[in-house]
Amino acid sequence: MTMPARLRKAVLTVHVTTSVGWLGATAVVFTLGVVGWASPDVQLARSALLVLEPITMYVVLPLAFASLLIGVVQALGSRWGLFRHYWVIFKLLINILALALLLMYLGTVRQLASVAADPASSATDLRELAASPTLHASLALLALLAATVLAIYKPRGLTRFGRVRHS
Amino acid sequence: MYRKTSDMQNDEPPADTGSTPERREGTPTWVKVAGAIAVAVIVGLIVLLVVGDNHGPGRHAPSGDSTEEVDPTDHRPPSDAHR
């Protein structure tokens, strides 16, 4: 079922906003990880790791859920469909994988925050901790950038389902 | 391989003409390459999560026990030494 043009534009606007917001929030997590890892200032490094938890829980996670859900609605409500074009399937796969890994990583984020909150944790501890979010956020950035490129270029390629639907 | 700029600006695919090259061609090369990369990434993740060592929160905790504070000026022997 195709949505009316005005509704489709509105849903597309929300989808682009949440998707790019997810990318931006992940860039913030990456930056905080780098600060925690590289800063010689222990208080700054500790603060950066402490901020990781609320940023992840209240910004990255909601944006990731919203991007995926609204993206599915957007695909189903337009002629692109969800399984007709390869680029849509790859983008869906990237979003599902990234969200699943994010959910699995939440425990680590809480652990990082609790260790960073402990005044007994040393600069070496903080540096060791900060390597993890930096690595994970950099991989997430690559995946989300790939999804953005797919969304903008929309490379050709109909799936078997898409070819049947169009024949 | 990619759509024209005018197509990219639309939020809908080009109108159905019935016999576009896209409809006649098989699986595009970019799909095969991206599919191979996707399979490799997914297999790698499964190996990391299942076969590899613990990837949970504990893995990222500092190796030392930070709850036990040690006074570097305290040179007394541990209590076990008195037994």
Side-chain angles (χ1 to χ4, degrees), chain B residues 3-83:
Chain B
R3 295 171 195 286
K4 292 182 295 185
T5 307
S6 56
D7 287 342
M8 291 193 300
Q9 290 166 347
N10 294 331
D11 62 333
E12 284 282 89
D16 188 5
T17 56
S19 60
T20 60
E22 186 175 6
R23 201 132 310 140
R24 292 192 301 268
E25 70 192 20
T27 307
T29 307
W30 79 266
V31 174
K32 294 174 183 169
V33 173
I37 293 171
V39 168
V41 168
I42 291 171
V43 169
L45 285 174
I46 291 172
V47 169
L48 267 178
L49 292 172
V50 178
V51 182
D53 58 348
N54 175 29
H55 198 76
R59 175 192 173 110
H60 302 292
S63 50
D65 183 1
S66 58
T67 59
E68 184 183 344
E69 291 190 49
V70 177
D71 181 359
T73 61
D74 186 358
H75 297 296
R76 287 176 298 175
S79 54
D80 288 353
H82 297 295
R83 290 179 188 169

Side-chain angles (χ1 to χ4, degrees), chain A residues 78-80 108 129 132 156, chain B residues 3 11-13 22 30 60:
Chain A
S78 73
R79 287 202 318 235
W80 289 110
T108 301
L129 285 173
S132 170
R156 286 182 182 277
Chain B
R3 295 171 195 286
D11 62 333
E12 284 282 89
E22 186 175 6
W30 79 266
H60 302 292

Side-chain angles (χ1 to χ4, degrees), chain A residues 80-163:
Chain A
W80 289 110
L82 197 55
F83 300 109
R84 294 179 199 168
H85 296 262
Y86 282 113
W87 73 267
V88 180
I89 292 178
F90 274 101
K91 197 163 171 284
L92 178 67
L93 187 68
I94 289 172
N95 279 20
I96 289 174
L97 263 180
L99 179 56
L101 292 173
L102 174 62
L103 288 171
M104 292 166 67
Y105 195 64
L106 291 181
T108 301
V109 171
R110 289 194 197 97
Q111 176 89 8
L112 293 179
S114 67
V115 175
D118 183 357
S121 53
S122 67
T124 312
D125 290 341
L126 296 178
R127 172 182 276 267
E128 193 179 318
L129 285 173
S132 170
T134 307
L135 173 67
H136 285 80
S138 62
L139 294 175
L141 275 178
L142 282 178
L144 296 176
L145 274 174
T148 306
V149 168
L150 283 174
I152 291 178
Y153 284 89
K154 298 179 176 58
R156 286 182 182 277
L158 279 172
T159 62
R160 188 172 297 175
F161 175 72
R163 280 196 288 266

Side-chain angles (χ1 to χ4, degrees), chain A residues 16-83:
Chain A
V16 171
T17 304
T18 52
S19 300
V20 176
W22 183 8
L23 183 68
T26 305
V28 170
V29 170
F30 174 74
T31 307
L32 290 172
V34 170
V35 168
W37 182 71
S39 175
D41 184 341
V42 178
Q43 286 310 312
L44 181 61
R46 193 185 302 282
S47 306
L49 291 178
L50 280 172
V51 172
L52 271 179
E53 188 184 17
I55 291 272
T56 305
M57 298 299 294
Y58 305 125
V59 183
V60 178
L61 191 60
L63 284 172
F65 267 114
S67 170
L68 179 61
L69 292 178
I70 296 168
V72 169
V73 171
Q74 167 71 18
L76 292 175
S78 73
R79 287 202 318 235
W80 289 110
L82 197 55
F83 300 109

